[in-house]
Amino acid sequence: MKHFKDTMAAVWHFYRDGFRNMTWGRPLIWLILLKVFILFAILRVFFFKPALSGLDDEERSRVVCERITGTPAGPASDNTYNL
């Protein structure tokens, strides 16, 4: 476990010192953080609506089952074989 901590500390110091010595290090980090924020926060709110919102647990499980298997799941298809 101590070897793992030492390795992680060495990796952290490597990247920290590398970005600190770069002339564009800090602006680059802020640009990367801004991009990640835009991708995950803003785009998700406006473009990716939750597909299962407003459904109860039974309806959610039925929709997920249909999407995974490609066949409708319901009372007519439970425990029966359609030949």
Side-chain angles (χ1 to χ4, degrees):
M1 188 68 175
K2 181 161 175 40
H3 178 69
F4 177 74
K5 288 182 181 180
D6 292 340
T7 303
M8 293 306 294
V11 168
W12 167 254
H13 291 296
F14 174 77
Y15 280 105
R16 183 194 64 192
D17 295 340
F19 278 111
R20 188 177 287 166
N21 293 330
M22 289 174 56
T23 57
W24 286 94
R26 290 181 194 258
L28 182 63
I29 288 294
W30 285 110
L31 182 67
I32 291 169
L33 291 175
L34 178 67
K35 181 179 178 179
V36 167
F37 174 76
I38 289 172
L39 284 174
F40 288 106
I42 295 175
L43 289 178
R44 185 177 190 277
V45 169
F46 291 111
F47 295 109
F48 302 111
K49 302 291 183 197
L52 300 175
S53 64
L55 301 176
D56 63 2
D57 289 339
E58 185 176 325
E59 292 171 333
R60 286 181 185 172
S61 64
R62 183 183 51 78
V63 170
V64 170
C65 181
E66 287 176 4
R67 289 185 183 174
I68 290 174
T69 61
T71 59
S77 63
D78 291 342
N79 298 328
T80 61
Y81 294 101
N82 297 327
L83 298 176

